Amino acid sequence: MTLPDTPRRRVNFFEGRLVTAEDLGSEQQASRERVWLHNRMLHGAGVVAGFEVSVEGEELVVSPGMAIDGFGREIVLTGGGARLDGSDVVAESHGRVHLAVSWAEEPDDEVIGPDGPVPGHFVERPRLSLREIGAAGADADHVVLARVHRAGTVLVADGSVRRHVRRSGHGDR
């Protein structure tokens, strides 16, 4: 759990101040960083809810859910969940292959800015990946959902490796 390196700084808005895109971006980033710090320090990294993993043939099926990565970012998978091809998992993986989710964002649309086209919005879309995880564990930017291996030729997803966040005051775990 890491604390910020510098003191918090925020824009001082007042009547008559010219507000720039940089001011608004700074305010937005400061707000995001406060939430990330809260999540990191009070809850830790792991699955909050959902993100159940099942197998259908050679596909890994992940249900909608929420997790917090090691940086405190909220990873939210909405809609009908997601699927990932698991056919590359081989029997000799020795249980080191894990299905992980990470935070990601991508431009959603385009608007014309002063210097040409720029993203009008960003949408957070988690990324699923199969990763070989050694004794050191997952990177801070990934949350492990399941260990993936083969029992003979059958693909298996073992969710016992999932780590859940601390949920103070919630007796449902």
Side-chain angles (χ1 to χ4, degrees), residues 34-130:
R34 280 190 296 276
V35 170
W36 296 343
L37 178 63
H38 168 95
N39 288 342
R40 212 171 44 241
M41 301 304 284
L42 269 63
H43 305 295
V47 175
V48 175
F51 276 126
E52 301 297 330
V53 180
S54 60
V55 177
E56 290 181 9
E58 292 294 306
E59 280 192 317
L60 298 160
V61 181
V62 181
S63 72
M66 178 182 175
I68 297 173
D69 71 11
F71 297 110
R73 297 176 299 195
E74 297 166 351
I75 304 169
V76 179
L77 179 62
T78 60
R83 294 174 173 265
L84 187 69
D85 180 18
S87 62
D88 288 341
V89 176
V90 296
E92 295 79 28
S93 64
H94 305 292
R96 289 189 307 264
V97 175
H98 291 75
L99 173 61
V101 64
S102 60
W103 181 90
E105 68 178 5
E106 58 189 47
D108 187 43
D109 58 1
E110 194 174 88
V111 296
I112 302 301
D115 297 323
V118 295
H121 295 87
F122 288 93
V123 176
E124 294 181 10
R125 288 200 173 94
R127 288 200 179 104
L128 295 173
S129 60
L130 291 172

Side-chain angles (χ1 to χ4, degrees), residues 43 166-173:
H43 305 295
R166 297 184 302 270
R167 293 174 66 185
S168 302
H170 292 77
D172 56 79
R173 285 194 319 138

